[in-house]
Amino acid sequence: MRRGVRFVVGAGLGIGALAAYLWYVGPEEVGSRVAAVAPWAVAVVCCLMLAEATVDGLGVWASVRPLRDGLSPRASVQFAFAGDFFDVLSPAGPVSSEPIMAQFFGVATETSYSEALGVRGVAKYVKSAAQLLLSVAIVGVLFLDAPTPRFVLVTLAGAVAALLVVGAALVWARDALSAVVVAVLTPVVRVLTGVTRETPLGRDAVGDAVERFWARVVHFRDAPELLVVIALSGVFEQLLTSLALWVALGGTGTSVAFLPIVAVIPLPQAASVLPVPGSLGAYDVLLAGALSLTTGAPAAGAAAAVLVVRTFELLVSLGCGGVATGFLRGFRA
């Protein structure tokens, strides 16, 4: 496909998705909230959202290094923007977008789908763990002697427990998990490949793919520096998003401390379990409520700040991400 056509397709995807978001939220609502924030703050928030999406490219670069030396820095940033696009549109956010992006990573690095999914799965786990641990540390330092909203403690404790359970399952129940995955996926793969191949793939092929997945997962034991880069990328993203919210709150005339904002950033990620693309509405409400409770910001100011940040976040994810997606190759030549 020619580059011009790719650009038109990508721009169409981005514009269409953004229009759907504005229709869902309401243009008047977005306009009124943006008008409540000072113009200088709106401009700074826009720049910070672009920076946040670009920084994600660092984590992408580190995560795919095991795949035949990975991607160039420029391509890594492109994939980061495209990943944000699918994070918004897929029903469960990053949980369901990574299986989609793995196809593009596999094609770009000339490796298999399962290998790409393995390294990206590790990256998402490490990134989420780093952001969550930063929040836990901040809560422990700032709120140790102060009253803390119960839902903050419960959500953080639940998220930490979930991470520990997943990590333990991956380490101690690898063989059992592999057997279950092979048993579940074999009939699906057999049916799907029966449509495109004369001889459908069976249990052996699925088993080999699962082994390649695990081989890429354990590869990071020999490259811990890549895990450090992925974790730092996640922390930088969290700090930039927090700074954007802090600036937006300042633009409404509300002065609050910065660190409590950093602490609550991971909390609304629970909204990703809702079967709504981008968790539209749910994420905004949860984040605004968390900001108001932990920083003491007025509910109206917190809602305005969140909506401004989310609008520019989605503008970058859908607009720039849609264009970036249009230039990806999903199938091998």
Side-chain angles (χ1 to χ4, degrees):
M1 186 183 295
R2 295 180 179 179
R3 294 182 63 86
V5 176
R6 287 178 178 270
F7 175 81
V8 172
V9 171
L13 288 173
I15 293 173
L18 184 61
Y21 167 75
L22 292 175
W23 173 81
Y24 180 88
V25 177
E28 298 82 4
E29 178 70 11
V30 173
S32 63
R33 295 295 187 182
V34 171
V37 180
W40 66 267
V42 173
V44 173
V45 167
C46 179
C47 294
L48 288 172
M49 288 296 95
L50 282 170
E52 186 269 341
T54 303
V55 164
D56 188 25
L58 180 63
V60 170
W61 174 85
S63 69
V64 298
R65 285 294 291 172
L67 302 179
R68 295 193 178 185
D69 294 328
L71 301 170
S72 68
R74 179 180 178 180
S76 297
V77 173
Q78 177 190 358
F79 271 81
F81 276 91
D84 288 342
F85 176 79
F86 286 110
D87 283 351
V88 174
L89 292 186
S90 58
V95 175
S96 54
S97 69
E98 282 305 325
I100 299 173
M101 288 299 299
Q103 176 65 24
F104 297 109
F105 281 115
V107 171
T109 59
E110 297 182 349
T111 54
S112 68
Y113 175 85
S114 58
E115 291 174 293
L117 186 60
V119 297
R120 289 302 299 162
V122 171
K124 286 297 183 183
Y125 183 88
V126 171
K127 176 179 173 181
S128 297
Q131 293 176 338
L132 183 60
L133 290 177
L134 176 61
S135 294
V136 170
I138 293 174
V139 168
V141 171
L142 294 183
F143 301 148
L144 190 60
D145 297 323
T148 305
R150 180 180 177 84
F151 90 95
V152 173
L153 298 176
V154 172
T155 304
L156 287 178
V160 170
L163 280 176
L164 291 176
V165 169
V166 171
L170 293 176
V171 172
W172 301 107
R174 170 182 167 181
D175 293 339
L177 287 174
S178 297
V180 171
V181 170
V182 171
V184 171
L185 291 184
T186 296
V188 178
V189 171
R190 183 178 290 116
V191 171
L192 293 178
T193 56
V195 178
T196 58
R197 300 167 62 99
E198 183 176 347
T199 304
L201 299 177
R203 186 180 185 86
D204 291 340
V206 176
D208 290 341
V210 172
E211 285 303 315
R212 289 194 298 270
F213 172 90
W214 286 116
R216 291 303 183 181
V217 169
V218 301
H219 175 87
F220 287 99
R221 292 186 303 185
D222 300 323
E225 68 280 2
L226 295 179
L227 296 179
V228 173
V229 174
I230 294 170
L232 288 176
S233 171
V235 170
F236 291 154
E237 287 184 63
Q238 186 173 355
L239 292 175
L240 286 170
T241 302
S242 303
L243 184 57
L245 284 167
W246 183 76
V247 169
L249 282 169
T252 65
T254 303
S255 297
V256 297
F258 176 68
L259 287 181
I261 299 177
V262 181
V264 302
I265 288 297
L267 297 181
Q269 289 181 355
S272 65
V273 302
L274 299 178
V276 181
S279 295
L280 297 178
Y283 185 101
D284 304 353
V285 171
L286 288 173
L287 184 55
L291 283 176
S292 182
L293 287 174
T294 56
T295 66
V306 168
L307 192 56
V308 168
V309 171
R310 282 283 283 169
T311 297
F312 282 103
E313 179 185 12
L314 291 171
L315 178 64
V316 171
S317 299
L318 297 177
C320 300
V323 173
T325 300
F327 284 93
L328 298 182
R329 289 191 301 117
F331 301 96
R332 305 178 194 275

